[in-house]
Amino acid sequence: MDVTALESQRLVAVTASQFTHRSDAPVIGEVWLGFDALTVNLGVASDWELRITPEEPGESYVMEELGSRVDVIIAPDEVPFVRHIGQRLLRLVEEFDEVSGQRMRLDFEFEDGTVIARSWGGDMQMAHA
C-alpha cells in the first residue's frame, strides 16, 4: 500500500482487536484506523513485518478449544491513536529493516503529536513520540 495516500486525511475512528486468553489480561493485537476516505488495518504479519492494508474491521470470535477470544471493539483510550481522532494525518514515515527490507515502523504525524507503531518480537507496539 502507498501510505502517502493517507496523508491529509482526517482520522475519524479507531477500532481494535482485543485478545483474551483464559483469565489473562486482554491485549490489543491490531487496530483499524478509519480515515475520511479509507479504513486501514495496522498489525504485525506472521513474518513480523508491520503491515498496513486497506481493510474494514472484522467480527469478534471465540476459540473455545484454546480458551481464548478476540473482541473487535471501539479502541480504548490506551491506544495512542484515540487522542488524535478528528485530526488530520500530516505525514506518515516508514522505516524498513536494512537486511530483510521489511517494514518495521511507521510514524504517524498528526496535528498535535506523533504516534509510533512498530513490530517488536512479533508483537505490535504503539506509543506517542
Side-chain angles (χ1 to χ4, degrees):
M1 171 179 180
D2 177 11
V3 297
T4 61
L6 298 173
E7 292 177 353
S8 299
Q9 290 200 38
R10 187 174 310 279
L11 181 64
V12 296
V14 181
T15 306
S17 69
Q18 183 174 264
F19 176 78
T20 306
H21 180 69
R22 302 188 197 280
S23 61
D24 294 348
V27 175
I28 299 296
E30 58 188 323
V31 296
W32 288 266
L33 305 174
F35 290 95
D36 288 324
L38 179 66
T39 298
V40 295
N41 176 265
L42 183 63
V44 175
S46 60
D47 62 0
W48 294 11
E49 180 175 17
L50 183 65
R51 64 175 165 68
I52 183 168
T53 55
E55 179 183 304
E56 293 294 325
E59 298 289 324
S60 299
Y61 58 95
V62 175
M63 297 173 282
E64 291 181 29
E65 66 280 1
L66 300 176
S68 304
R69 71 177 193 273
V70 175
D71 297 305
V72 177
I73 59 171
I74 295 171
D77 290 342
E78 70 192 54
V79 175
F81 290 101
V82 170
R83 80 176 223 196
H84 299 287
I85 292 174
Q87 297 179 17
R88 292 202 181 279
L89 179 63
L90 303 177
R91 188 172 151 203
L92 190 49
V93 180
E94 298 174 284
E95 184 178 305
F96 295 87
D97 181 80
E98 293 177 12
V99 177
S100 69
Q102 294 176 311
R103 181 188 302 114
M104 300 306 287
R105 176 177 163 152
L106 284 165
D107 293 2
F108 294 79
E109 297 178 12
F110 290 96
E111 294 169 339
D112 75 349
T114 300
V115 176
I116 296 169
R118 69 181 189 145
S119 172
W120 184 256
D123 294 323
M124 184 170 61
Q125 297 178 339
M126 297 173 284
H128 284 106

